[in-house]
Amino acid sequence: MTPDEAIAEQERLRPLVSTRTDPGLVVRHVAGLDVSYADDDRLAAAVVVLDAESLETVDSAVVSGKADFPYVPGLFAFRELPSLVEAMKKLTVAPDLLVCDGQGLAHPRRFGLACHLGVVTGVPSVGVAKTPMGQFTMPDDVRGAHTDLVDDGEVVGRTLRTREGVKPVFVSVGHRIDLDRACAEVLRLCVTRLPETTRRSDSLGRAQLR
DNA sequence: GCGACAG
DNA sequence: ATCTTGTCGC
């Protein structure tokens, strides 16, 4: 897979993204996905499913793999998606929403990791990134405060203060969910700056690396 | 040509 | 992503 082929793949799948939330969507089980890297090209893809209400872990899976695609901004999904999909296949509990570590529509071609994973699995998804991909004004320092994330003149996501006194996170729609709902779901997963889904999948992944 | 550029 | 304990501040 060359970078050009990867870009063509994104443009081919992009039209399949939906920004609509199914009227009857009930998010009971939320999955967090993340990939950790070793010094060489070894990696560990982890997915943890939480009960959205109690935030208790109800299922998890992790797979070891090799990074066969370099990290290229804009093509991030081609590095992590294969292993993440493998990890998801090992789950026993089917998640109602995927919380990805990275961007969704806040991407140069409007098809970040969250969109890609959502389209490939068909499961609603949202991207939560730690660094922005676009312009924004800082939201108030109050949990829940938010501002638009703009790129090339269009709103591609939202900054979200998940906790007072910390930098905001950057939320963007992945697939089959609207921005308001995406932010609401992310906020209820946050006890500290990052969603519990992200924190737990992150620790599971790096533990697997040892 | 130069700077930016998720993890 | 990764290198990493204690420490400053609310």
Short mmCIF file of all heavy atoms in Angstrom, two decimals, chain A residues 66-106:
data_model
loop_
_atom_site.label_atom_id
_atom_site.label_comp_id
_atom_site.label_asym_id
_atom_site.label_seq_id
_atom_site.Cartn_x
_atom_site.Cartn_y
_atom_site.Cartn_z
N LYS A 66 2.79 -5.99 14.08
CA LYS A 66 3.93 -5.26 13.54
C LYS A 66 3.40 -4.02 12.82
O LYS A 66 2.34 -4.06 12.20
CB LYS A 66 4.68 -6.11 12.51
CG LYS A 66 5.41 -7.31 13.10
CD LYS A 66 6.75 -6.89 13.67
CE LYS A 66 7.58 -8.12 14.07
NZ LYS A 66 8.90 -7.71 14.61
N ALA A 67 4.15 -2.93 12.91
CA ALA A 67 3.74 -1.71 12.22
C ALA A 67 4.24 -1.86 10.79
O ALA A 67 5.43 -1.87 10.53
CB ALA A 67 4.37 -0.50 12.89
N ASP A 68 3.32 -2.04 9.87
CA ASP A 68 3.72 -2.23 8.48
C ASP A 68 3.50 -0.99 7.62
O ASP A 68 3.69 -1.02 6.41
CB ASP A 68 2.97 -3.42 7.90
CG ASP A 68 1.49 -3.30 8.15
OD1 ASP A 68 1.06 -3.62 9.26
OD2 ASP A 68 0.77 -2.87 7.22
N PHE A 69 3.08 0.08 8.27
CA PHE A 69 2.86 1.34 7.55
C PHE A 69 3.45 2.43 8.44
O PHE A 69 3.24 2.43 9.64
CB PHE A 69 1.35 1.58 7.34
CG PHE A 69 1.04 2.57 6.25
CD1 PHE A 69 0.84 2.15 4.93
CD2 PHE A 69 0.95 3.94 6.55
CE1 PHE A 69 0.56 3.07 3.92
CE2 PHE A 69 0.66 4.86 5.52
CZ PHE A 69 0.47 4.42 4.21
N PRO A 70 4.22 3.36 7.88
CA PRO A 70 4.84 4.41 8.69
C PRO A 70 3.83 5.43 9.18
O PRO A 70 2.69 5.49 8.68
CB PRO A 70 5.85 5.02 7.73
CG PRO A 70 5.14 4.92 6.42
CD PRO A 70 4.57 3.52 6.46
N TYR A 71 4.24 6.22 10.14
CA TYR A 71 3.33 7.24 10.64
C TYR A 71 3.44 8.41 9.67
O TYR A 71 4.47 9.05 9.53
CB TYR A 71 3.74 7.73 12.04
CG TYR A 71 3.00 9.00 12.39
CD1 TYR A 71 1.61 8.99 12.50
CD2 TYR A 71 3.66 10.21 12.52
CE1 TYR A 71 0.90 10.15 12.75
CE2 TYR A 71 2.96 11.39 12.78
CZ TYR A 71 1.58 11.35 12.88
OH TYR A 71 0.88 12.50 13.10
N VAL A 72 2.33 8.69 9.01
CA VAL A 72 2.27 9.80 8.07
C VAL A 72 1.02 10.59 8.43
O VAL A 72 -0.08 10.06 8.42
CB VAL A 72 2.13 9.30 6.61
CG1 VAL A 72 2.05 10.48 5.66
CG2 VAL A 72 3.28 8.38 6.24
N PRO A 73 1.20 11.86 8.79
CA PRO A 73 0.02 12.68 9.16
C PRO A 73 -1.00 12.62 8.02
O PRO A 73 -0.66 12.80 6.85
CB PRO A 73 0.62 14.09 9.32
CG PRO A 73 2.01 13.81 9.79
CD PRO A 73 2.44 12.66 8.93
N GLY A 74 -2.25 12.35 8.36
CA GLY A 74 -3.26 12.26 7.32
C GLY A 74 -3.53 10.81 6.91
O GLY A 74 -4.58 10.50 6.36
N LEU A 75 -2.57 9.94 7.20
CA LEU A 75 -2.72 8.53 6.82
C LEU A 75 -2.55 7.65 8.06
O LEU A 75 -2.22 6.46 7.97
CB LEU A 75 -1.68 8.14 5.76
CG LEU A 75 -1.76 8.92 4.45
CD1 LEU A 75 -0.68 8.43 3.49
CD2 LEU A 75 -3.14 8.72 3.82
N PHE A 76 -2.77 8.26 9.19
CA PHE A 76 -2.63 7.58 10.47
C PHE A 76 -3.38 6.25 10.56
O PHE A 76 -2.85 5.26 11.10
CB PHE A 76 -3.14 8.54 11.55
CG PHE A 76 -2.98 8.04 12.94
CD1 PHE A 76 -1.78 7.50 13.36
CD2 PHE A 76 -4.04 8.11 13.84
CE1 PHE A 76 -1.63 7.05 14.67
CE2 PHE A 76 -3.89 7.67 15.14
CZ PHE A 76 -2.70 7.14 15.56
N ALA A 77 -4.57 6.20 10.03
CA ALA A 77 -5.38 4.98 10.11
C ALA A 77 -4.71 3.75 9.49
O ALA A 77 -4.89 2.63 9.96
CB ALA A 77 -6.74 5.20 9.46
N PHE A 78 -3.93 3.97 8.45
CA PHE A 78 -3.31 2.82 7.78
C PHE A 78 -2.24 2.16 8.65
O PHE A 78 -1.81 1.05 8.37
CB PHE A 78 -2.74 3.26 6.43
CG PHE A 78 -3.83 3.69 5.49
CD1 PHE A 78 -4.32 4.98 5.50
CD2 PHE A 78 -4.44 2.75 4.65
CE1 PHE A 78 -5.39 5.35 4.70
CE2 PHE A 78 -5.50 3.11 3.84
CZ PHE A 78 -5.99 4.42 3.87
N ARG A 79 -1.85 2.84 9.68
CA ARG A 79 -0.85 2.30 10.60
C ARG A 79 -1.52 1.52 11.73
O ARG A 79 -1.06 0.47 12.12
CB ARG A 79 -0.02 3.45 11.17
CG ARG A 79 1.10 3.08 12.10
CD ARG A 79 1.88 4.34 12.45
NE ARG A 79 2.90 4.17 13.47
CZ ARG A 79 4.07 3.56 13.29
NH1 ARG A 79 4.36 3.04 12.12
NH2 ARG A 79 4.95 3.47 14.26
N GLU A 80 -2.62 2.05 12.23
CA GLU A 80 -3.28 1.42 13.37
C GLU A 80 -4.54 0.60 13.12
O GLU A 80 -4.84 -0.31 13.88
CB GLU A 80 -3.62 2.51 14.41
CG GLU A 80 -2.42 3.37 14.80
CD GLU A 80 -2.58 3.99 16.17
OE1 GLU A 80 -3.72 4.29 16.55
OE2 GLU A 80 -1.55 4.15 16.86
N LEU A 81 -5.28 0.93 12.08
CA LEU A 81 -6.54 0.24 11.85
C LEU A 81 -6.51 -1.28 11.70
O LEU A 81 -7.35 -1.97 12.30
CB LEU A 81 -7.24 0.88 10.64
CG LEU A 81 -8.67 0.41 10.39
CD1 LEU A 81 -9.55 1.61 10.05
CD2 LEU A 81 -8.69 -0.57 9.24
N PRO A 82 -5.58 -1.85 10.94
CA PRO A 82 -5.54 -3.31 10.80
C PRO A 82 -5.50 -4.05 12.14
O PRO A 82 -6.30 -4.97 12.37
CB PRO A 82 -4.27 -3.54 9.98
CG PRO A 82 -4.20 -2.31 9.14
CD PRO A 82 -4.54 -1.21 10.13
N SER A 83 -4.60 -3.65 13.03
CA SER A 83 -4.48 -4.31 14.32
C SER A 83 -5.69 -4.05 15.21
O SER A 83 -6.11 -4.93 15.97
CB SER A 83 -3.21 -3.83 15.04
OG SER A 83 -2.06 -4.15 14.28
N LEU A 84 -6.25 -2.86 15.10
CA LEU A 84 -7.42 -2.53 15.92
C LEU A 84 -8.61 -3.39 15.51
O LEU A 84 -9.38 -3.86 16.36
CB LEU A 84 -7.77 -1.04 15.79
CG LEU A 84 -6.80 -0.07 16.46
CD1 LEU A 84 -7.18 1.37 16.16
CD2 LEU A 84 -6.78 -0.31 17.97
N VAL A 85 -8.76 -3.61 14.22
CA VAL A 85 -9.87 -4.43 13.74
C VAL A 85 -9.69 -5.87 14.23
O VAL A 85 -10.66 -6.53 14.63
CB VAL A 85 -9.94 -4.42 12.19
CG1 VAL A 85 -10.93 -5.44 11.68
CG2 VAL A 85 -10.34 -3.02 11.71
N GLU A 86 -8.45 -6.34 14.24
CA GLU A 86 -8.17 -7.69 14.72
C GLU A 86 -8.56 -7.81 16.19
O GLU A 86 -9.17 -8.80 16.60
CB GLU A 86 -6.68 -8.00 14.56
CG GLU A 86 -6.27 -8.41 13.16
CD GLU A 86 -7.15 -9.53 12.63
OE1 GLU A 86 -7.20 -10.60 13.29
OE2 GLU A 86 -7.80 -9.34 11.58
N ALA A 87 -8.20 -6.80 16.95
CA ALA A 87 -8.52 -6.82 18.38
C ALA A 87 -10.02 -6.83 18.60
O ALA A 87 -10.54 -7.56 19.45
CB ALA A 87 -7.89 -5.61 19.07
N MET A 88 -10.73 -6.06 17.79
CA MET A 88 -12.19 -6.00 17.93
C MET A 88 -12.86 -7.34 17.67
O MET A 88 -13.90 -7.65 18.26
CB MET A 88 -12.76 -4.94 16.99
CG MET A 88 -12.58 -3.51 17.49
SD MET A 88 -13.36 -2.30 16.41
CE MET A 88 -15.10 -2.70 16.63
N LYS A 89 -12.26 -8.14 16.79
CA LYS A 89 -12.83 -9.45 16.46
C LYS A 89 -12.82 -10.39 17.67
O LYS A 89 -13.57 -11.35 17.72
CB LYS A 89 -12.04 -10.10 15.32
CG LYS A 89 -12.23 -9.41 13.98
CD LYS A 89 -11.39 -10.11 12.91
CE LYS A 89 -11.54 -9.41 11.56
NZ LYS A 89 -10.60 -9.97 10.55
N LYS A 90 -11.96 -10.10 18.61
CA LYS A 90 -11.85 -10.95 19.79
C LYS A 90 -12.84 -10.59 20.89
O LYS A 90 -12.94 -11.29 21.90
CB LYS A 90 -10.41 -10.87 20.35
CG LYS A 90 -9.36 -11.35 19.36
CD LYS A 90 -7.94 -11.19 19.91
CE LYS A 90 -7.70 -12.07 21.14
NZ LYS A 90 -6.29 -11.93 21.62
N LEU A 91 -13.55 -9.51 20.70
CA LEU A 91 -14.51 -9.09 21.72
C LEU A 91 -15.71 -10.02 21.82
O LEU A 91 -16.13 -10.64 20.84
CB LEU A 91 -15.02 -7.67 21.44
CG LEU A 91 -14.03 -6.52 21.57
CD1 LEU A 91 -14.72 -5.22 21.16
CD2 LEU A 91 -13.52 -6.43 23.00
N THR A 92 -16.24 -10.12 23.03
CA THR A 92 -17.41 -10.96 23.28
C THR A 92 -18.62 -10.05 23.40
O THR A 92 -19.74 -10.41 23.07
CB THR A 92 -17.22 -11.72 24.63
OG1 THR A 92 -16.13 -12.61 24.50
CG2 THR A 92 -18.47 -12.48 24.98
N VAL A 93 -18.38 -8.84 23.89
CA VAL A 93 -19.45 -7.85 24.05
C VAL A 93 -19.38 -6.88 22.88
O VAL A 93 -18.34 -6.25 22.65
CB VAL A 93 -19.29 -7.07 25.37
CG1 VAL A 93 -20.38 -6.02 25.49
CG2 VAL A 93 -19.31 -8.03 26.55
N ALA A 94 -20.46 -6.76 22.13
CA ALA A 94 -20.49 -5.85 20.98
C ALA A 94 -20.69 -4.41 21.43
O ALA A 94 -21.69 -4.09 22.07
CB ALA A 94 -21.62 -6.26 20.04
N PRO A 95 -19.75 -3.52 21.13
CA PRO A 95 -19.88 -2.12 21.55
C PRO A 95 -20.91 -1.35 20.71
O PRO A 95 -21.13 -1.63 19.53
CB PRO A 95 -18.47 -1.57 21.37
CG PRO A 95 -17.92 -2.38 20.25
CD PRO A 95 -18.42 -3.77 20.53
N ASP A 96 -21.55 -0.35 21.33
CA ASP A 96 -22.55 0.47 20.64
C ASP A 96 -21.89 1.72 20.09
O ASP A 96 -22.47 2.44 19.27
CB ASP A 96 -23.63 0.89 21.64
CG ASP A 96 -24.28 -0.30 22.31
OD1 ASP A 96 -24.76 -1.18 21.58
OD2 ASP A 96 -24.30 -0.34 23.55
N LEU A 97 -20.69 2.01 20.58
CA LEU A 97 -19.97 3.20 20.16
C LEU A 97 -18.46 2.97 20.32
O LEU A 97 -18.02 2.35 21.27
CB LEU A 97 -20.38 4.40 21.03
CG LEU A 97 -19.67 5.74 20.77
CD1 LEU A 97 -20.08 6.30 19.40
CD2 LEU A 97 -20.04 6.74 21.87
N LEU A 98 -17.70 3.49 19.36
CA LEU A 98 -16.25 3.34 19.40
C LEU A 98 -15.64 4.71 19.68
O LEU A 98 -15.98 5.69 19.02
CB LEU A 98 -15.71 2.84 18.04
CG LEU A 98 -16.33 1.56 17.47
CD1 LEU A 98 -15.67 1.25 16.12
CD2 LEU A 98 -16.14 0.41 18.44
N VAL A 99 -14.75 4.78 20.65
CA VAL A 99 -14.07 6.04 20.96
C VAL A 99 -12.62 5.84 20.53
O VAL A 99 -11.88 5.06 21.15
CB VAL A 99 -14.16 6.36 22.47
CG1 VAL A 99 -13.36 7.63 22.77
CG2 VAL A 99 -15.61 6.54 22.87
N CYS A 100 -12.25 6.55 19.48
CA CYS A 100 -10.90 6.39 18.92
C CYS A 100 -9.92 7.45 19.41
O CYS A 100 -10.31 8.58 19.71
CB CYS A 100 -10.96 6.45 17.41
SG CYS A 100 -12.11 5.27 16.69
N ASP A 101 -8.66 7.06 19.45
CA ASP A 101 -7.60 7.96 19.89
C ASP A 101 -7.06 8.69 18.65
O ASP A 101 -6.06 8.28 18.08
CB ASP A 101 -6.50 7.10 20.54
CG ASP A 101 -5.59 7.91 21.44
OD1 ASP A 101 -6.04 8.94 21.95
OD2 ASP A 101 -4.42 7.53 21.60
N GLY A 102 -7.73 9.76 18.26
CA GLY A 102 -7.31 10.47 17.06
C GLY A 102 -8.49 11.23 16.48
O GLY A 102 -9.54 11.34 17.11
N GLN A 103 -8.33 11.74 15.28
CA GLN A 103 -9.40 12.53 14.66
C GLN A 103 -10.43 11.71 13.88
O GLN A 103 -10.18 10.56 13.52
CB GLN A 103 -8.79 13.54 13.67
CG GLN A 103 -7.54 14.23 14.13
CD GLN A 103 -7.80 15.33 15.16
OE1 GLN A 103 -8.94 15.59 15.55
NE2 GLN A 103 -6.74 15.97 15.60
N GLY A 104 -11.58 12.36 13.68
CA GLY A 104 -12.64 11.74 12.87
C GLY A 104 -12.70 12.63 11.63
O GLY A 104 -11.80 12.61 10.81
N LEU A 105 -13.71 13.47 11.54
CA LEU A 105 -13.85 14.38 10.39
C LEU A 105 -12.84 15.53 10.43
O LEU A 105 -12.63 16.19 9.40
CB LEU A 105 -15.27 14.96 10.36
CG LEU A 105 -16.37 13.96 10.00
CD1 LEU A 105 -17.75 14.62 10.12
CD2 LEU A 105 -16.17 13.45 8.57
N ALA A 106 -12.23 15.76 11.57
CA ALA A 106 -11.22 16.82 11.67
C ALA A 106 -9.93 16.30 11.04
O ALA A 106 -8.94 15.99 11.71
CB ALA A 106 -10.98 17.19 13.13
#
